[in-house]
Amino acid sequence: MAPAPVENRDPRPVAAPEVAPSLYQVRRGDTLYSIAFRFRLDWRTVARWNRIDPPYLIRPGQELRLVAPPAGPSRSEPRDLPRPEVTPTEPAVASRPEPRERPVPPPPPRPAPPSEVEPRVQPPAPAATVPLPAGSTRQVAGVEWRWPTAGSVSRPFDPAATRRGIGIAGQSGQPVVAAADGEVVYSGTALIGYGELIIIKHSDTLLSAYAHNRVRLVEEGVRVRAGQPIAEMGISDRNEQLLHFEVRRNGQPENPLNFLPRR
């Protein structure tokens, strides 16, 4: 059963691109991917800087490094110090004979529970996909792409814009589908200027983002197929009925038209 739809009621204005701080405190609703997306960073780099391993769990209140650590060994790393020589002050004591039966060692202590927040159990996403005519997909960077919704491009890609993507005009409520197979790594409203936002990871280097939705139909952790409905189109901060669509490669926005099939 799909999660309950969430209406887009985000009244916050569009903010200028944020400069990544040296340290960022994780807030409720953040994921590693949404934090990297917010500051235009590669999620793999952020994970490496903070020594975060799969499944890349973070918790509210945790501090993440968002700039490269200084070169050289960390001060926190233990160092091998020379051991002082100890001069015996008492005569050596003869070793005692071992008992016939060695005592049974106590059972090892149970490992402490992990500090990270366990991932939530998510309901499966709808399995139906929107059919396409032949020749409506395009393979780029090892991923098969398709258009995420019907409609014409009303906002072309602008490399100098605050949000670097394209706007696809349509009607509020029309289906928004996954542009390619992947995993939903963010579904929420924590990023100012994007409204109801969904981010899908297609590979270690490629993400796609779907903003200004009226309703979100998938949650984090769900795997989706190309053409599978993930949301319903909403209204942007400029009172336009459209889908704002982005493609990020290694954390950097690229023109989605370089990935989508030509019309």
Side-chain angles (χ1 to χ4, degrees), residues 83-126:
R83 297 181 180 179
E85 296 183 1
V86 179
T87 303
T89 58
E90 299 180 359
V93 179
S95 60
R96 298 177 181 179
E98 296 185 358
R100 295 181 180 180
E101 294 184 3
R102 295 184 178 181
V104 179
R110 295 182 179 180
S115 58
E116 294 86 359
V117 178
E118 294 296 330
R120 295 170 294 174
V121 178
Q122 303 295 348

Side-chain angles (χ1 to χ4, degrees), residues 6-15 29-30 34 37 155 163 186-199 209-216 218 220 231-240 242-246:
V6 180
E7 293 294 335
N8 180 13
R9 301 179 182 273
D10 186 6
R12 295 172 292 185
V14 177
D30 283 340
S34 69
F37 187 94
R155 285 191 198 171
R163 291 166 295 164
Y186 180 76
S187 179
T189 60
L191 278 73
I192 296 176
Y194 285 90
E196 302 287 344
L197 174 67
I198 294 172
I199 302 175
Y210 313 73
H212 301 310
N213 300 297
R214 184 180 75 174
V215 173
R216 289 179 285 116
V218 291
E220 295 160 15
E232 293 178 7
M233 182 181 293
I235 300 175
S236 74
D237 51 290
R238 300 181 186 177
N239 202 30
E240 298 171 309
L242 57 73
L243 168 70
H244 175 79
F245 179 67
E246 292 189 20

